[in-house]
Amino acid sequence: MAILKVNNQGAVRNWNGIFNDLFGDFETSNPNFGLNRNGTQIPVNIEEKEGAFEVSLLAAGRNKENFGLNVENQVLTISYNDEKGNEAVNQKMLRKEFGTYNFKRSFNLDEKVNTDAISARYENGILYVTLPKKEEVKPVSKQIAIQ
């Protein structure tokens, strides 16, 4: 009597491997601005603080020199463009699960944001963009003397 052991996991794993081999490089040959390799956008957190808004963008493994920040018509655009990262390298990749892909994200700014004082810093793989709030115009109350 023979005992046959069936491993269905191997067949599924092999099919996934074939699928990934056939279509896995499509994303790297077709740059989709603003999208990660898995088709989602670059993660962003936006926090409101007392005197400013802070945008935190997850951008690990990137060079700060390749970031671009632009404000035009109350729209903040954050982009990353690395031409060297897109060049084909003569090496045989057995598996590629990460990379630094180009992206572009845009945000509509509130009229409360002082666009002249926007600042940015890049630390520990996170790009922090500080959007200071404008000073609120407070109504002035004054006593008028009658003559």
Side-chain angles (χ1 to χ4, degrees):
M1 178 176 190
I3 298 177
L4 179 63
K5 185 174 183 180
V6 177
N7 184 355
N8 290 333
Q9 290 290 335
V12 171
R13 203 173 303 130
N14 289 338
W15 173 250
N16 287 339
I18 292 169
F19 185 80
N20 287 340
D21 288 343
L22 290 175
F23 299 105
D25 291 336
F26 175 75
E27 295 163 339
T28 58
S29 65
N30 181 16
N32 248 338
F33 278 73
L35 300 180
N36 274 332
R37 185 177 169 141
N38 63 0
T40 61
Q41 291 202 344
I42 300 294
V44 173
N45 292 336
I46 301 175
E47 179 182 1
E48 184 174 5
K49 297 184 176 183
E50 188 172 322
F53 299 98
E54 185 167 85
V55 178
S56 305
L57 187 129
L58 184 61
R62 293 175 169 84
N63 296 323
K64 69 178 183 178
E65 293 81 19
N66 295 335
F67 284 104
L69 271 78
N70 184 30
V71 176
E72 187 174 333
N73 297 327
Q74 289 299 106
V75 176
L76 170 67
T77 303
I78 303 172
S79 62
Y80 183 82
N81 191 8
D82 185 9
E83 293 300 325
K84 291 187 285 185
N86 294 330
E87 293 176 358
V89 179
N90 292 331
Q91 56 182 227
K92 183 179 178 182
M93 295 294 289
L94 300 177
R95 185 171 184 100
K96 184 173 171 99
E97 292 188 352
F98 70 91
T100 55
Y101 304 100
N102 297 338
F103 66 85
K104 186 176 186 180
R105 293 283 312 257
S106 295
F107 304 93
N108 292 323
L109 298 179
D110 192 71
E111 62 274 353
K112 297 177 191 174
V113 174
N114 181 0
T115 57
D116 295 329
I118 294 175
S119 63
R121 70 185 192 285
Y122 182 66
E123 26 178 90
N124 299 327
I126 299 176
L127 178 67
Y128 297 97
V129 181
T130 304
L131 309 168
K133 293 180 183 178
K134 290 180 181 176
E135 293 292 324
E136 291 184 32
V137 178
K138 297 179 183 177
V140 178
S141 173
K142 73 177 197 178
Q143 194 70 11
I144 299 173
I146 301 174
Q147 296 181 8

